[in-house]
Amino acid sequence: MTYAQITGWGKCIPPASISNDEISQIVDTNDEWIASRTGIKSRRVSHVSTADLATAAALDALACAGIEGKDIDLILLATCSPSTMVANTASMVQKNIGAIGAAACDTNAACSGFLYAMQLATAQIRAGMIKRAVVVAAERMTWYVNWAKRDSAVLFGDGAGAVVLEASDEPSGLLASKIGCDTEDRNILHIANCGTDLNKYEPIGPSDLMFEGREIFKRAVKGMSQACDDVLTQANLSLDDIHVLVPHQANLRIIQAIQQKLNIADEKVMVNIDKYGNTSAATIAIALCEAVENGLIKPHANIMSAAFGAGLTWAASYIKWGERVTPINAPSATLPPCDKTGLELIAESVRHCVDQ
Ligand code: UT7
């Protein structure tokens, strides 16, 4: 039997940040509200493109695996904030990492995108169609933010994470997975003024994030815990067998509610929403990478992951880690220097939103 082991992991965290106090200069909010209702203290804003974020994360994942771009058969880029839609952004990543001739495809399942892409790439490796894949999730969610709307403006951030999957005889990688979509509620989370449904000859306003926070919250808790239960059954495991939970980072209270439903102890749960906010598809990819770096993921760990996002897509996965928890080559990818603060990077966008 062939499995798709995770042999490399990497991330790209853009340097400029916006603290809760800084965002309180833009919308009517405050650090106390944001921190207590969401767990977020700061978020990153990117000075480079989604493709650049994805490239840096992918290069570090390749270094970690000790292989090069030319060894890769497939690149799946999970994103709902692509640099370009045609040509797809994955093709730019393919070029940047030197994965000459590799298949390159963007997958958009919003916040569930990384787990969707993991399932798709794993299935191809396990079927013997390909040997090695890079699954990368990269987002510039701050590009979409309406800085006049305090309920959603405080939530989102930018960043990228990536893994390398390689064919292996060892039972490891994604061993059970369930992905789905509850489309009836798709309007409670969407970007308006974006896409080919628009009449491109009519003047249209800027794209806008439409968001019913409380409804999404309820469905996220229910959807993610149900999906976790289904995956445990599929894998024939009990919750006691799970060593680490790596949940989508949308709201600390959502994570805690799932944790409570599943009865998982605090020390088993990977949380980094305080530093980065919600980076959509990238949250789990970044959190997985940081969970290995900080020693939460140990050799042969059983990892449960769950996500929920626009669509309303949902996903849960059981991942078995391999033996190695240290990189073969240290991460060394760099971004061009950033000479602006987070507030300076969003200043023009803020002006447009406030003028509306
Ligand atoms: O990745 C998947 C997509 N995202 C999510 O899953 C996010 C899901 N939803 C959430 O995380 C939460 O619903 C929010 C963080 C968005 C909102 O938290 P909440 O506890 O559900 O607050 P709420 O919407 O019920 O609003 C409570 C109050 C309201 O005031 P009133 O009507 O009680 O006077 C809001 O106007 O909080 C107010 N409020 C704020 N106050 C200060 C909403 N946003 C803010 C804010 N600062 N940023």
Side-chain angles (χ1 to χ4, degrees):
M1 187 104 78
T2 305
Y3 299 91
Q5 187 168 70
I6 297 177
T7 59
W9 50 93
K11 66 177 182 195
C12 177
I13 307 297
S17 64
I18 303 177
S19 70
N20 288 350
D21 284 337
E22 286 173 320
I23 220 165
S24 308
Q25 299 168 24
I26 303 171
V27 283
D28 179 17
T29 188
N30 56 71
D31 175 53
E32 201 281 324
W33 192 95
I34 304 171
S36 63
R37 294 290 183 118
T38 71
I40 299 167
K41 297 190 176 133
S42 178
R43 70 286 294 141
R44 298 299 172 107
V45 52
S46 181
H47 65 299
V48 297
S49 68
T50 302
D52 289 342
L53 294 173
T55 298
L59 284 173
D60 282 350
L62 287 168
C64 177
I67 61 172
E68 293 176 29
K70 66 176 172 46
D71 304 318
I72 294 297
D73 305 310
L74 168 71
I75 296 158
L76 286 185
L77 170 60
T79 186
C80 60
S81 50
S83 294
T84 54
M85 279 190 280
V86 184
N88 68 23
T89 305
S91 60
M92 179 60 82
V93 178
Q94 192 245 43
K95 186 177 170 198
N96 292 345
I97 68 172
I100 307 134
C105 182
D106 295 355
T107 51
N108 175 2
C111 302
S112 310
F114 180 69
L115 294 186
Y116 265 62
M118 282 290 286
Q119 176 168 323
L120 298 173
T122 297
Q124 291 200 39
I125 290 175
R126 295 196 64 176
M129 291 171 168
I130 59 167
K131 293 250 178 297
R132 295 189 179 105
V134 168
V135 178
V136 50
E139 301 277 20
R140 284 187 69 198
M141 293 307 291
T142 59
W143 191 88
Y144 285 124
V145 166
N146 181 338
W147 298 105
K149 287 185 175 173
R150 66 177 181 173
D151 57 343
S152 51
V154 301
L155 300 179
F156 294 97
D158 304 337
V163 293
V164 170
L165 302 180
E166 292 189 71
S168 161
D169 295 337
E170 189 189 330
S172 56
L174 196 77
L175 295 185
S177 178
K178 195 160 164 78
I179 59 179
C181 180
D182 293 328
T183 190
E184 258 175 46
D185 298 315
R186 71 195 288 276
N187 271 338
I188 66 173
L189 176 53
H190 70 279
I191 310 274
N193 280 352
C194 195
T196 57
D197 271 1
L198 299 167
N199 180 342
K200 65 179 173 176
Y201 304 109
E202 295 282 329
I204 46 169
S207 62
D208 198 2
L209 196 69
M210 312 305 280
F211 189 84
E212 290 177 38
R214 222 182 269 192
E215 285 306 311
I216 304 163
F217 190 111
K218 280 190 275 186
R219 285 166 175 74
V221 173
K222 200 166 149 223
M224 285 199 272
S225 26
Q226 178 64 54
C228 285
D229 282 343
D230 289 351
V231 165
L232 284 172
T233 308
Q234 203 187 106
N236 204 14
L237 291 175
S238 81
L239 278 164
D240 291 342
D241 299 317
I242 299 301
H243 304 117
V244 185
L245 177 69
V246 182
H248 172 46
Q249 313 276 315
N251 185 319
L252 182 61
R253 290 186 297 132
I254 294 179
I255 296 173
Q256 288 165 340
I258 294 166
Q259 206 186 321
Q260 216 170 9
K261 263 181 179 281
L262 299 177
N263 198 15
I264 295 185
D266 284 356
E267 58 275 16
K268 288 185 174 182
V269 184
M270 178 62 207
V271 175
N272 61 8
I273 190 171
D274 51 320
K275 297 186 286 184
Y276 310 132
N278 182 349
T279 56
S280 189
T283 69
I284 291 176
I286 296 170
L288 198 61
C289 183
E290 293 197 341
V292 195
E293 288 168 354
N294 69 20
L296 191 60
I297 292 178
K298 300 197 164 38
H300 309 292
N302 290 329
I303 303 157
M304 177 65 77
S305 193
F308 192 88
L312 299 167
T313 59
W314 50 263
S317 304
Y318 160 53
I319 295 167
K320 177 100 189 156
W321 204 258
E323 169 69 25
R324 189 165 52 80
V325 287
T326 49
I328 292 179
N329 296 307
S332 61
T334 52
L335 295 178
C338 175
D339 57 5
K340 290 197 166 106
T341 64
L343 282 182
E344 284 168 352
L345 284 171
I346 62 164
E348 192 191 345
S349 174
V350 170
R351 243 187 338 267
H352 282 291
C353 294
V354 172
D355 284 351
Q356 280 293 303

